[in-house]
Amino acid sequence: MAGQAAGHGVDHVLRVLASARAIHQVVKCDLLIVELAALLHDIGDAKFHDGIERSAEFSRQILGELGADAATIDHVAHIVDNISFRKGESAKPLSLEGQVVQDADRLDALGAIGIVRTIEYGAAFGQPFYVADADTAKTGVGHFHDKLFKLKSLMNTDAARQMAVEREQFMRRFLDQFLAESKH
């Protein structure tokens, strides 16, 4: 994952791991499953594998090679296969551990880090952050409205919802300031 751009590299994984551990302090569940799923959640992200999600496949392979038991492998594979925003309604229900990792992943899309990741993603895929007097659908600004500002209400745990409030407020202030400065 070291070569992945667009805000989905090792630094993202380590932030998700840290947030998942923080949420776990409030929401007690199986920490080993949380940590493994956080570390492996983007290992086969579809954005980097021709549109095919391979995180569950790669997680099974890695954990199998490390000698993990079948129940752990199945649990982690289920989580990494069902936490993405992209899966939407087709995602299968998550365990509490999966909800913790999903919340941690969503938190990393918010706040100052979320702003930087949006810009990185746009730069990697040729998407402008903002185009004056144009449809914002395929811009970073559009992404704020299409996805990022929805994340707070999609959090599974109260702990993550509380963490998301300040991050979303910061993003809204940033966007207001950015748009004010962008006026001609």
Side-chain angles (χ1 to χ4, degrees), residues 144-170:
F144 277 53
H145 296 287
D146 293 341
K147 177 182 177 182
L148 302 181
F149 290 151
K150 295 176 182 175
L151 293 178
K152 181 179 68 178
S153 66
L154 296 174
M155 295 294 173
N156 299 294
T157 64
D158 289 337
R161 265 188 296 281
Q162 290 172 4
M163 297 165 107
V165 168
E166 182 179 338
R167 293 181 188 202
E168 182 185 296
Q169 288 172 347
F170 177 83

Side-chain angles (χ1 to χ4, degrees), residues 35-74:
E35 291 177 331
L36 291 173
L39 287 168
L40 295 168
H41 81 279
D42 271 345
I43 197 78
D45 191 297
K47 286 185 277 309
F48 305 103
H49 294 281
D50 299 319
I52 300 166
E53 179 59 48
R54 300 186 69 191
S55 293
E57 171 192 347
F58 293 164
S59 293
R60 285 184 181 284
Q61 178 184 347
I62 291 166
L63 293 174
E65 290 172 4
L66 293 173
D69 64 82
T72 297
I73 293 171
D74 289 344

Side-chain angles (χ1 to χ4, degrees), residues 86-100:
R86 178 177 52 258
K87 262 237 156 125
E89 298 292 323
S90 69
K92 295 178 181 153
L94 291 168
S95 62
L96 183 55
E97 292 81 5
Q99 291 175 24
V100 167

Side-chain angles (χ1 to χ4, degrees), residues 85-154:
F85 183 85
R86 178 177 52 258
K87 262 237 156 125
E89 298 292 323
S90 69
K92 295 178 181 153
L94 291 168
S95 62
L96 183 55
E97 292 81 5
Q99 291 175 24
V100 167
V101 176
Q102 184 178 58
D103 283 356
D105 189 35
R106 288 175 173 174
L107 281 169
D108 203 56
L110 296 174
I113 294 292
I115 294 167
V116 171
R117 288 183 65 210
T118 299
I119 294 167
E120 285 178 340
Y121 181 88
F125 291 97
Q127 183 184 77
F129 185 74
Y130 175 72
V131 178
D133 302 321
D135 179 17
T136 62
K138 293 293 181 187
T139 67
V141 170
H143 184 64
F144 277 53
H145 296 287
D146 293 341
K147 177 182 177 182
L148 302 181
F149 290 151
K150 295 176 182 175
L151 293 178
K152 181 179 68 178
S153 66
L154 296 174

